[in-house]
Amino acid sequence: MNSSRTEIDKWFTEGTLVNDELTGPEVWEVVFDADRQLVHTKIGPYSKLFLRPEGFVKRFYHHVYPLPVENWLITQQISLYDGFCTIDVELDVRFQASLKYALTNMDILSSLNGHIKATYEDLLINLIDRELLNLSDGSWVQKGVADIEARISLAVSEMLILQNIQSQTLCSLKPSFEEFPDVQLAQESVYLSVLKRSFEFNDTKRKELFRQEQEVEEQRLEHKQKQLDQLNRDAELERLKQSQEALNTKLLLEEREKQLLEQFEIEKRIHIEKVNHANSLKEITLEAELQEQQKHETSLRLAEQRAHTESLAHQAKLKEKELEADIAKYEHQQARWREAKDKIHAQQLAFEQRQKQLEFDTEIENQKRREQQRLEVQQESYNKRKESDIYLRNEIELLALEKERLDLQSAIKEAKKKTGDTNP
């Protein structure tokens, strides 16, 4: 054993608690008033002290002093049996001063609780020492310290109440034992009690330890059996799970195969549609190109035809202009001839008959010459235009014009003859 808390100390404390439950010690019941206050009235030589009543209204001559409930912890260590036993004492006092105590101490109303602690601390410590030092034999070792704690608490409460101090006290004793010294006759009973208690404690501890070991072993076996059962259940569940997973995998693969076949079919159909669409686009493009080419060729042919037509029309216009020029030239010559004739007829009326034949011959020669010139011009024009597509039409038109001219000349000649026949 050592000075610290030993196994016997633990047993001692546990035994104390058991004894507390069995004996049911007397408890000092106290009713505290947390709102308790003193009212000191002083007017001149008149003075009065009383508890503050309900509905109290403070006046200028009133002084109010609270009487609070305070906790007071006193600790003490006492050595017994020549140092063989050491008891640590904790005294927890909850107290409140009463009106009677205040009346006897009116000069310190503002510090009553501090005065109580300073005045009664030594008295309480002496009371505890006296109570513990009276433990001459070791009977309390067998019974525990619960009765001693109760006696000390009751003694403290009685002492304070006699001083008009309300209190509620809780005493806690924690004994500890040193290693067994040489046996002394004066302390033999205490040693024997401690030894007996130690043996009983060790025996109880051993039995409890054996019971706990058996219980642990049983729990271990039961736990192991549960683990085996759980492993069997887990193995069965794993087999079922694997079987279900295999079935699910198979179903998934079958579904995947079905989806792939459907996908391949769809892709095949889409590919065929794309190919058909591409072919259609190529046909449409080729057809459009052919149409465009045909349009271009048609446009070229139309342009060539328009150009050829325009060329022919231009040539026809040129020919018409040349013909008109020839006609105009001829008409101009005719007009000049008529003018000259009229002038000669006007100036030489006398010579008209003699010169008629000369003029007629001259006219015939001129006509022949002009006719020869016209034929040469026509021959040259014919040589130039014989490869034209409208040569025949123009030639016919020229022949028609020539016929009209010849008819006109014939008419002129007839008119001249008639005129000549009339003039003589």
Side-chain angles (χ1 to χ4, degrees):
M1 296 183 181
N2 48 36
S3 59
S4 62
R5 191 174 179 84
T6 63
E7 294 179 352
I8 296 176
D9 301 333
K10 294 181 181 178
W11 164 81
F12 202 87
T13 304
E14 293 171 357
T16 301
L17 296 174
V18 173
N19 289 333
D20 288 344
E21 294 176 356
L22 294 176
T23 58
E26 182 180 359
V27 179
W28 189 276
E29 295 291 341
V30 179
V31 179
F32 293 106
D33 185 4
D35 296 328
R36 182 181 299 172
Q37 294 180 343
L38 295 174
V39 180
H40 185 209
T41 302
K42 187 175 182 181
I43 303 175
Y46 175 75
S47 177
K48 183 181 179 182
L49 185 67
F50 58 92
L51 292 176
R52 179 177 180 174
E54 293 184 2
F56 171 76
V57 179
K58 184 180 178 181
R59 306 296 182 183
F60 70 93
Y61 48 83
H62 290 151
H63 296 278
V64 180
Y65 299 95
L67 294 177
V69 179
E70 188 167 342
N71 292 325
W72 181 16
L73 180 63
I74 300 175
T75 59
Q76 183 71 9
Q77 188 178 74
I78 299 175
S79 180
L80 302 176
Y81 312 125
D82 298 329
F84 175 62
C85 178
T86 301
I87 299 177
D88 293 322
V89 183
E90 285 187 2
L91 186 65
D92 188 5
V93 182
R94 183 178 176 85
F95 68 94
Q96 186 178 28
S98 64
L99 176 61
K100 289 182 180 180
Y101 185 83
L103 289 173
T104 58
N105 297 277
M106 291 185 64
D107 54 338
I108 54 171
L109 291 177
S110 60
S111 59
L112 286 177
N113 287 350
H115 176 71
I116 291 171
K117 290 180 180 180
T119 303
Y120 296 102
E121 183 175 5
D122 292 337
L123 294 176
L124 294 179
I125 291 174
N126 291 334
L127 188 151
I128 294 170
D129 291 343
R130 184 172 62 253
E131 188 68 31
L132 294 178
L133 291 174
N134 288 332
L135 300 175
S136 58
D137 57 10
S139 60
W140 64 273
V141 176
Q142 298 292 328
K143 297 178 182 179
V145 296
D147 293 340
I148 304 172
E149 290 174 345
R151 286 200 306 270
I152 293 175
S153 298
L154 184 61
V156 171
S157 297
E158 287 177 349
M159 186 187 72
L160 292 176
I161 199 65
L162 291 175
Q163 302 300 324
N164 298 313
I165 301 172
Q166 289 181 304
S167 65
Q168 188 172 19
T169 307
L170 177 62
C171 180
S172 175
L173 302 178
K174 296 180 180 179
S176 60
F177 297 91
E178 298 291 340
E179 294 181 357
F180 287 100
D182 295 336
V183 177
Q184 300 179 10
L185 295 177
Q187 309 299 336
E188 183 179 2
S189 61
V190 177
Y191 297 156
L192 291 175
S193 297
V194 172
L195 286 173
K196 182 179 179 182
R197 198 61 171 164
S198 176
F199 175 77
E200 291 175 354
F201 174 76
N202 290 330
D203 185 61
T204 303
K205 180 180 178 182
R206 186 168 56 255
K207 289 180 180 179
E208 180 64 21
L209 183 61
F210 178 74
R211 185 190 65 78
Q212 291 177 358
E213 289 177 351
Q214 284 186 331
E215 184 177 354
V216 169
E217 183 65 21
E218 291 175 358
Q219 290 178 355
R220 187 182 66 79
L221 292 175
E222 183 179 359
H223 179 66
K224 193 166 186 179
Q225 184 63 36
K226 288 182 179 179
Q227 285 182 337
L228 290 174
D229 295 340
Q230 184 65 33
L231 288 174
N232 292 330
R233 287 194 297 271
D234 291 343
E236 183 65 24
L237 288 174
E238 186 65 25
R239 286 194 296 272
L240 292 174
K241 182 179 178 182
Q242 291 178 357
S243 177
Q244 185 65 34
E245 288 179 352
L247 180 60
N248 292 336
T249 303
K250 181 180 178 182
L251 293 175
L252 287 174
L253 290 174
E254 291 176 353
E255 183 67 23
R256 179 62 177 169
E257 181 182 8
K258 183 179 178 181
Q259 292 177 357
L260 287 174
L261 291 175
E262 293 177 355
Q263 182 179 355
F264 292 156
E265 187 66 25
I266 292 171
E267 290 178 353
K268 180 180 178 182
R269 188 164 59 251
I270 291 172
H271 180 69
I272 292 172
E273 290 178 357
K274 285 183 177 178
V275 171
N276 294 333
H277 181 66
N279 292 332
S280 300
L281 290 177
K282 288 181 180 178
E283 291 177 358
I284 292 171
T285 304
L286 182 58
E287 184 177 356
E289 290 177 354
L290 290 174
Q291 291 179 357
E292 185 66 25
Q293 187 175 359
Q294 290 177 357
K295 288 181 180 179
H296 182 65
E297 292 177 354
T298 303
S299 299
L300 290 176
R301 286 196 299 271
L302 291 174
E304 290 176 356
Q305 289 178 0
R306 282 196 300 271
H308 186 63
T309 303
E310 290 175 356
S311 178
L312 293 177
H314 181 65
Q315 291 178 2
K317 288 181 179 180
L318 291 176
K319 291 178 180 179
E320 288 177 359
K321 288 181 179 180
E322 290 177 358
L323 183 60
E324 289 176 356
D326 291 340
I327 294 171
K329 183 178 180 180
Y330 176 76
E331 289 179 353
H332 180 67
Q333 290 176 354
Q334 290 292 329
R336 289 179 64 188
W337 179 76
R338 282 192 300 270
E339 288 177 0
K341 183 179 178 181
D342 291 339
K343 185 177 181 180
I344 292 170
H345 180 71
Q347 293 177 359
Q348 297 179 0
L349 290 175
F351 303 101
E352 187 177 1
Q353 290 299 325
R354 286 182 303 171
Q355 293 179 356
K356 243 180 219 183
Q357 187 64 36
L358 181 60
E359 291 174 355
F360 180 76
D361 294 335
T362 303
E363 182 66 19
I364 292 299
E365 289 177 358
N366 290 332
Q367 286 181 0
K368 287 180 180 181
R369 188 172 56 254
R370 287 193 299 271
E371 184 66 18
Q372 184 65 31
Q373 291 177 355
R374 185 186 65 78
L375 291 175
E376 290 176 355
V377 170
Q378 287 180 353
Q379 183 65 34
E380 185 179 358
S381 177
Y382 172 77
N383 292 330
K384 291 180 180 179
R385 300 172 185 147
K386 61 181 178 180
E387 293 182 3
S388 176
D389 293 339
I390 58 170
Y391 174 76
L392 294 175
R393 183 176 63 83
N394 293 334
E395 188 67 24
I396 291 170
E397 291 177 353
L398 289 174
L399 291 174
L401 292 172
E402 182 65 22
K403 183 180 179 181
E404 291 178 357
R405 189 180 63 79
L406 293 173
D407 292 338
L408 182 60
Q409 287 179 355
S410 299
I412 291 171
K413 289 178 179 181
E414 291 295 330
K416 285 181 178 181
K417 289 179 180 182
K418 291 178 181 181
T419 303
D421 295 335
T422 303
N423 288 330

